[in-house]
Amino acid sequence: MQNKFILGITWVVLLLSLAACSDDVDDPEIENEEELITSLYLTLTDQSGGAYAFTFYDLDGDGGDAPVMTTAPLPANSTFTASIELLNEAEDPAEVITEEIEEEDDEHQFFYIVSGANLTVSYDDEDDNGNPIGIKTNMTSGDVSTGTLQVILRHEPAKDAAGVSDGQIANAGGESDIEVSFPIVIQ
Amino acid sequence: MRLLLVFISLLSTVNIRAQCELTITGWVTDHHNDESLEYANVLIRESGQGSTSDSTGYFEIGGICPGEYHVTVSHIGCTPEEVLIRISKDTSITVYLEHHSEMIHEVIVEGKSSLNSHTEEKKEISEVQIRQNTGLSLAELSATISGVSSLKNGSGLAKPVIHGLYGNRVVVLNQGMQQAGQQWGNDHAPEIDPNSVNQISVIKGASALRYGSSAIGGVLSVSSAAIPLEPHLHGHARYAYQSNGRGHLINTSIYQGKEKWKWRLNATYNLRGDVSAPDYYLTNTGKDEKSILLQLEHTLSAKTTVDGVFSYYDVNQGILRGSHIGNLTDLNDAIIRDVPFYTADSFSYSINAPRQKVNHTLSKINLLHFFNDNQYLRINYGNQINNRAEYDVRRGNRSDRPVLNLKMIANNLDLSYHHESDLHKWTIGLQNAHRDNTNNPGTGIIPLIPNYRMIQTSPYLIWEREVADVEIEAGIRSDIRRLQVARIDPVDNDNILRSVDHYYNYAASLGAKYHPSHAYDILLSMNLAKRAPEVNELYSFGLHQGVAGIEEGNENLNSEQSIKALITQHIDIKDKVWIELSSYYQHIRDYIYLNPQSEPRLTIRGAFPVFKYEQTNARIYGLDGSIAASISDRWSAHMGYAMVRGTDLTNDTYLVFMPQDNVNLSIKSYVSNDIIKNGSIAITPSYHWRQNRLTTEQDFLVPPDGYFLIDMSVNTDLSIGKSNWNASLTISNLMNTSYRNYLNRLRYYADDEGRNVRLVLQYNF
């Protein structure tokens, strides 16, 4: 009697397992990548109002189409005011990421690392603790030369570590949200 | 392992005497050679009365009142045994103790059990070892077995590596079902509390038949043992402290076993703060872990039993703050630093991003029905729900929003029929698995792993035969898998790609064990298996934090085909020296691995190396050996050695993440007196060689140097009055050596853990 009952259960279980449901898997929701940074615009303005634009954008994010970079030659022995803007242009209208950085200015710092070219960069802004942010800078070009300008944005750097407030990245730590290297031509 | 070692013979005397004048007499005997054991302590727990055995193993306790008593018998170097006896007249008992059980355990393969194969290489971690190592994670605990290592992502986040393979190639069995978690992630630990269970075993020569063809590396099995028939409420309360991380753990287990119903309840709470390397804190490596497990057994009739398990596990685990990086430049900056970024000056229990929050619920019901003595049927249904949320340091107050948020629901339905005759034993079974993985929306990041549904049906057949001193097992299995995937198109993020893949795979195995005498046995096994590519290998796409690499799946992957041969020998020299030697060779065709691509990908966050899943032919071989010796009644020694070699045959290079060679030696001294029962002190130095088998292109950093560690442990059972306690003190990394382990992914950033003193105190009732 009990054996028959158990065999009955077995058949039910077997039938159930053969009739395993096969409805479709749910589609993933398309995520709104609010944190995505697609574009960097670094604009240098000389004293006579001439503008020099350095841009880097990758509108479809990582992968897909290759990113696009534009640069401009800089005049020798000049001083510039510079400002940087980060955008998420995958959104329409584009989202201004720089605003988010201004809101959390104590957690962010831009670093400008020059190699080869005769160009010096100094910070022209500060957060509530008196440490630099690097959205606004002053730049000075020297004699004719070529090289690179690397722009790095660090999230949660140690701003109080040695040299960091002077723009030296070595002790900063943190995560790089931006790292772009522009070729520089001073003529 | 808990062999049924206690054999009680109740010899009755005719006359029933007056109250409290009864006598218990008996003999204490060595289970292995039937020799009498002198100086064994016999204690009646309820009354505190006791005695010691004489040179013939005989003991006598008089003046006992009629009633039910728990009698504990202990002897130096033996696992204590407890028996429940009902006394209404003078009674005589014989107790068999397993002498040097630890050593035997360390070197002798698991005994027979009707549900497990005889011809596979299986190693168990005893309940005593689980208790003494309270505080270790499941993978760290399994790594105490020779030939098993753990791939770590800092403290507590570890996954088992068996014979050089891990992740998708090692099956974790939780209560008999494949653990349904996100096993693909190298930083995803099995979601199981080792303190909640009492049977942990590793099967190295994985006979894929019973566990599915993913088990080409091996199997780590975790389960609750059958509840003993014990009408009184029993259990333990345990507290463990660890100095490194200032961890506190409490665990309790209570059980009761009546004829019809048996139950066990186990609960654990574990809180630990930042652990530290010898010279600095590893900031944000704390852990907050809870688990509860309820086990029930019901005897419906003499032929039918039903049992069930419900368990819930929850963990919130921090990941070293300094290991969270943005790109390859950050990684290089981190590598050149001695002390990781973000290292705090003080200790903390707080757990911030980056962290993982995981919970796992398991419910199962199992029916066992005997048609007669030779035929039985088993039906097992299980459901698992796994939630995993991972948090990174994010901009704009988004650190409390997970970057990865997955929910997996799995159902398993297994059916097996067993038929035994005098010579043959047949098992025919059908396993059904259904697994549904969904990305919970709202992460703001394109998911690394797609939504998918996997359905697998696996019929199998196993034949076993035992003739004189040879046991043979052979079997075949088929895995029919349907994988349905819906994912966001990596090129056009507004588009959904849907696909259905089918895999028809098979496995076959043949094993034989020849045991001509008590002193020698040899086990040979051959396993052939095809493993279907898992969803991460096929479709993962995105940035893998921690290693600063972009990982790309490959939807054209084929199933891997593995053949593994294993030979294990056991030699017992006069019950004084035990030797185990295991060697294996495995060839995997179409081995799936992450191949670094020559062109890095330029993004606005810098350049990232790209890793693509590709296939090659691989060869793995290795050797594990151990030797244990009983030097005297008071001293023993144990030595273990393991090596593994992995080669990529197609590209003529090494396989990455192979464990480094290691050797350990343990010297143990036993102590016993009236209060300290079964006490021991052991010192265990170990050496881990540098992993030299790697080219500079295969890693960002050369593997760390070899290192030498010393561990020490003191264990004892205590009888204080009528109460029964266990205490152990373990010091790992006694010399507080700074070192880095090749298989710890945090080695790029920080030293491994410094000295850790762990104290475990358990009260048994």
Side-chain angles (χ1 to χ4, degrees):
Chain A
M1 187 59 213
Q2 203 182 9
N3 285 355
K4 278 187 179 163
F5 173 69
I6 296 292
L7 282 174
I9 291 182
T10 309
W11 280 116
V12 171
V13 163
L14 267 176
L15 287 174
L16 277 178
S17 64
L18 290 176
C21 43
S22 57
D23 52 322
D24 280 347
V25 61
D26 293 335
D27 283 348
E29 277 189 33
I30 293 177
E31 291 289 341
N32 178 19
E33 291 194 283
E34 297 158 26
E35 281 161 290
L36 183 72
I37 303 174
T38 60
S39 320
L40 178 160
Y41 297 94
L42 174 67
T43 311
L44 277 67
T45 310
D46 66 18
Q47 283 168 321
S48 55
Y52 306 87
F54 292 80
T55 62
F56 186 100
Y57 55 88
D58 189 4
L59 299 184
D60 60 352
D62 297 353
D65 296 332
V68 177
M69 183 192 286
T70 66
T71 60
L74 297 175
N77 302 310
S78 311
T79 57
F80 309 90
T81 57
S83 74
I84 200 162
E85 183 164 51
L86 303 179
L87 298 177
N88 176 4
E89 293 183 296
E91 304 271 305
D92 189 22
E95 195 177 326
V96 183
I97 305 288
T98 330
E99 287 171 1
E100 214 168 80
I101 290 166
E102 282 165 344
E103 281 163 28
E104 292 179 343
D105 53 11
D106 57 333
E107 289 179 11
H108 289 93
Q109 186 171 344
F110 284 94
F111 294 88
Y112 298 85
I113 299 157
V114 183
S115 62
N118 289 318
L119 185 73
T120 57
V121 185
S122 63
Y123 290 111
D124 192 28
D125 53 9
E126 56 183 37
D127 62 20
D128 293 342
N129 305 321
N131 290 315
I133 311 157
I135 296 172
K136 290 193 167 61
T137 49
N138 294 316
M139 299 195 189
T140 309
S141 62
D143 291 339
V144 172
S145 54
T146 59
T148 59
L149 169 66
Q150 196 179 23
V151 181
I152 297 175
L153 170 64
R154 284 283 171 90
H155 183 209
E156 297 201 356
K159 286 197 179 190
D160 296 325
V164 174
S165 60
D166 300 325
Q168 293 167 26
I169 199 165
N171 297 318
E175 294 93 48
S176 297
D177 282 351
I178 292 283
E179 185 178 310
V180 173
S181 202
F182 293 106
I184 293 287
V185 177
I186 295 172
Q187 60 188 24
Chain B
M1 178 179 74
R2 195 163 172 93
L3 290 172
L4 198 65
L5 292 178
V6 184
F7 176 74
I8 312 160
S9 58
L10 294 164
L11 299 175
S12 55
T13 52
V14 185
N15 56 325
I16 294 169
R17 291 193 210 161
Q19 295 258 307
C20 300
E21 288 179 12
L22 301 175
T23 310
I24 300 179
T25 56
W27 285 267
V28 185
T29 305
D30 188 328
H31 168 68
H32 287 280
N33 52 18
D34 289 332
E35 279 177 18
S36 305
L37 287 174
E38 198 180 356
Y39 304 120
N41 287 298
V42 184
L43 178 77
I44 300 173
R45 289 246 312 265
E46 285 79 0
S47 67
Q49 291 161 293
S51 174
T52 305
S53 63
D54 65 15
S55 60
T56 64
Y58 178 78
F59 67 88
E60 188 174 318
I61 307 170
I64 298 167
C65 312
E68 275 189 345
Y69 297 102
H70 294 88
V71 179
T72 307
V73 182
S74 56
H75 187 269
I76 196 167
C78 297
T79 307
E81 281 300 334
E82 186 170 274
V83 291
L84 173 76
I85 50 176
R86 181 177 284 125
I87 299 181
S88 57
K89 53 201 174 217
D90 288 349
T91 301
S92 178
I93 63 174
T94 305
V95 179
Y96 291 92
L97 288 183
E98 195 180 22
H99 207 205
H100 296 301
S101 61
E102 286 189 327
M103 265 180 282
I104 292 166
H105 175 80
E106 280 157 19
V107 286
I108 292 184
V109 196
E110 173 53 24
K112 294 178 188 177
S113 150
S114 63
L115 299 175
N116 290 314
S117 162
H118 305 172
T119 53
E120 59 191 16
E121 163 78 353
K122 178 173 178 178
K123 283 293 189 102
E124 299 235 352
I125 294 173
S126 69
E127 236 179 309
V128 175
Q129 284 170 297
I130 297 172
R131 164 167 52 77
Q132 290 172 355
N133 290 299
T134 301
L136 293 189
S137 67
L138 178 64
E140 289 169 315
L141 193 58
S142 65
T144 56
I145 294 173
S146 179
V148 183
S149 326
S150 61
L151 178 65
K152 292 192 189 180
N153 196 60
S155 191
L157 268 180
K159 55 199 302 139
V161 182
I162 302 173
H163 283 174
L165 296 175
Y166 59 90
N168 290 333
R169 297 186 183 94
V170 167
V171 166
V172 177
L173 281 184
N174 189 358
Q175 306 290 356
M177 287 176 299
Q178 185 161 357
Q179 173 82 351
Q182 308 292 344
Q183 298 305 320
W184 51 270
N186 286 351
D187 53 346
H188 299 167
E191 306 84 353
I192 300 171
D193 170 23
N195 303 298
S196 70
V197 292
N198 42 21
Q199 287 185 327
I200 299 177
S201 57
V202 169
I203 302 156
K204 297 188 214 164
S207 146
L209 299 174
R210 291 176 179 83
Y211 319 111
S213 48
S214 317
I216 62 174
V219 174
L220 171 62
S221 169
V222 172
S223 60
S224 300
I227 301 164
L229 187 64
E230 170 58 85
H232 302 108
L233 200 64
H234 281 283
H236 69 249
R238 184 190 303 169
Y239 168 74
Y241 173 77
Q242 71 172 67
S243 67
N244 197 339
R246 301 182 200 170
H248 300 273
L249 184 149
I250 47 173
N251 167 262
T252 185
S253 176
I254 42 174
Y255 68 90
Q256 191 171 30
K258 297 194 171 169
E259 291 287 340
K260 285 256 177 203
W261 285 95
K262 299 187 178 106
W263 61 271
R264 179 190 273 129
L265 184 69
N266 189 303
T268 307
Y269 181 65
N270 182 13
L271 180 70
R272 198 198 60 210
D274 294 340
V275 292
S276 61
D279 302 320
Y280 44 84
Y281 286 108
L282 298 168
T283 300
N284 199 45
T285 52
K287 178 177 184 170
D288 182 347
E289 190 177 34
K290 311 167 188 77
S291 87
I292 189 157
L293 186 144
L294 175 69
Q295 184 187 2
L296 286 172
E297 285 175 31
H298 180 50
T299 308
L300 284 168
S301 71
K303 289 175 164 182
T304 315
T305 54
V306 179
D307 64 85
V309 172
F310 171 83
S311 77
Y312 177 77
Y313 173 83
D314 176 288
V315 67
N316 182 20
Q317 163 98 51
I319 295 165
L320 181 71
R321 179 64 182 90
S323 72
H324 189 256
I325 50 166
N327 63 16
L328 207 52
T329 316
D330 298 357
L331 178 65
N332 286 325
D333 283 358
I335 284 172
I336 55 172
R337 279 180 73 96
D338 282 339
V339 176
F341 284 116
Y342 302 108
T343 296
D345 296 333
S346 59
F347 171 83
S348 167
Y349 281 105
S350 59
I351 298 167
N352 300 308
R355 66 189 173 101
Q356 299 181 356
K357 195 159 168 33
V358 183
N359 65 54
H360 192 88
T361 311
L362 177 147
S363 326
K364 81 149 194 179
I365 182 156
N366 181 53
L367 179 126
L368 184 66
H369 176 74
F370 281 84
F371 294 102
N372 53 47
D373 284 352
N374 302 323
Q375 294 173 59
Y376 64 94
L377 178 79
R378 187 177 270 282
I379 303 173
N380 187 81
Y381 168 74
N383 172 273
Q384 294 174 79
I385 302 168
N386 184 290
N387 290 298
R388 169 175 289 273
E390 297 186 7
Y391 299 85
D392 273 349
V393 180
R394 299 174 80 172
R395 228 176 36 240
N397 295 320
R398 292 187 189 93
S399 293
D400 290 329
R401 264 171 73 179
V403 291
L404 183 76
N405 192 353
L406 295 169
K407 179 178 192 127
M408 182 181 282
I409 300 174
N411 288 289
N412 288 70
L413 184 61
D414 300 347
L415 207 72
S416 62
Y417 169 74
H418 306 254
H419 184 105
E420 289 177 32
S421 67
D422 289 345
L423 289 174
H424 305 279
K425 190 175 149 189
W426 294 89
T427 304
I428 181 161
L430 181 69
Q431 294 182 347
N432 294 286
H434 183 273
R435 192 177 279 196
D436 200 305
N437 183 73
T438 310
N439 281 281
N440 294 325
T443 58
I445 287 185
I446 294 188
L448 189 65
I449 295 291
N451 286 1
Y452 68 90
R453 176 167 295 166
M454 189 275 283
I455 299 171
Q456 183 169 294
T457 294
S458 316
Y460 65 94
L461 177 71
I462 300 167
W463 166 75
E464 288 162 82
R465 183 181 169 132
E466 185 165 357
V467 189
D469 40 22
V470 180
E471 289 165 48
I472 302 171
E473 178 187 291
I476 49 169
R477 176 188 172 105
S478 169
D479 289 305
I480 302 147
R481 175 183 286 211
R482 176 179 189 269
L483 181 69
Q484 189 187 9
V485 170
R487 63 196 168 112
I488 295 173
D489 187 340
V491 180
D492 171 10
N493 292 346
D494 292 329
N495 188 27
I496 303 279
L497 296 176
R498 295 176 195 86
S499 60
V500 178
D501 297 305
H502 289 94
Y503 299 93
Y504 304 98
N505 285 335
Y506 60 85
S509 90
L510 179 67
K513 186 175 177 181
Y514 173 57
H515 45 97
S517 74
H518 166 67
Y520 180 75
D521 67 61
I522 180 165
L523 184 151
L524 290 141
S525 82
M526 287 282 280
N527 294 293
L528 191 70
K530 280 180 84 176
R531 180 181 78 87
E534 292 293 336
V535 75
N536 69 307
E537 295 161 334
L538 293 164
Y539 298 114
S540 70
F541 186 88
L543 179 65
H544 198 293
Q545 291 283 358
V547 291
I550 290 171
E551 280 184 15
E552 283 187 9
N554 177 353
E555 55 193 286
N556 300 317
L557 294 176
N558 302 316
S559 292
E560 295 183 330
Q561 190 171 331
S562 154
I563 182 159
K564 181 172 182 176
L566 176 106
I567 300 176
T568 303
Q569 297 174 81
H570 297 101
I571 303 160
D572 177 336
I573 305 169
K574 293 179 175 161
D575 281 336
K576 292 281 180 206
V577 178
W578 296 269
I579 299 168
E580 180 188 88
L581 198 62
S582 182
S583 50
Y584 53 94
Y585 179 93
Q586 184 167 23
H587 184 277
I588 305 175
R589 203 168 79 190
D590 290 333
Y591 177 84
I592 299 168
Y593 73 115
L594 271 176
N595 192 20
Q597 307 291 302
S598 53
E599 281 292 306
R601 176 160 305 153
L602 187 65
T603 77
I604 201 160
R605 281 159 298 149
F608 288 93
V610 179
F611 297 88
K612 266 193 177 144
Y613 281 100
E614 291 182 3
Q615 294 190 291
T616 183
N617 293 332
R619 178 183 67 201
I620 297 169
Y621 64 90
L623 186 78
D624 324 320
S626 59
I627 176 165
S630 166
I631 299 163
S632 74
D633 255 8
R634 300 210 168 264
W635 289 92
S636 76
H638 178 271
M639 199 178 104
Y641 171 77
M643 62 146 270
V644 50
R645 299 282 178 272
T647 313
D648 176 339
L649 297 169
T650 313
N651 303 310
D652 194 22
T653 183
Y654 303 108
L655 294 182
V656 298
F657 284 134
M658 283 289 141
Q660 62 266 57
D661 299 354
N662 62 82
V663 63
N664 64 73
L665 174 73
S666 179
I667 310 262
K668 200 165 193 175
S669 170
Y670 301 90
V671 192
S672 199
N673 59 38
D674 285 347
I675 294 172
I676 296 172
K677 313 278 189 222
N678 208 38
S680 69
I681 177 162
I683 184 151
T684 311
S686 62
Y687 186 76
H688 299 253
W689 276 271
R690 182 176 184 273
Q691 180 55 279
N692 290 317
R693 283 158 288 277
L694 210 65
T695 63
T696 47
E697 300 86 59
Q698 288 178 301
D699 208 329
F700 301 112
L701 179 65
V702 293
D705 290 338
Y707 54 91
F708 176 76
L709 299 177
I710 300 177
D711 295 347
M712 207 183 110
S713 68
V714 183
N715 295 294
T716 183
D717 300 336
L718 296 165
S719 292
I720 303 164
K722 290 179 193 175
S723 61
N724 185 349
W725 296 75
N726 309 112
S728 50
L729 183 80
T730 309
I731 308 173
S732 46
N733 194 0
L734 183 73
M735 308 300 285
N736 210 18
T737 306
S738 295
Y739 70 99
R740 294 186 186 206
N741 175 357
Y742 171 65
L743 284 187
N744 188 341
R745 295 171 67 243
L746 293 192
R747 69 186 169 89
Y748 299 122
Y749 311 99
D751 287 342
D752 223 298
E753 288 170 54
R755 184 188 298 124
N756 189 7
V757 182
R758 284 184 283 129
L759 175 75
V760 181
L761 201 60
Q762 177 167 308
Y763 172 65
N764 301 297
F765 54 86

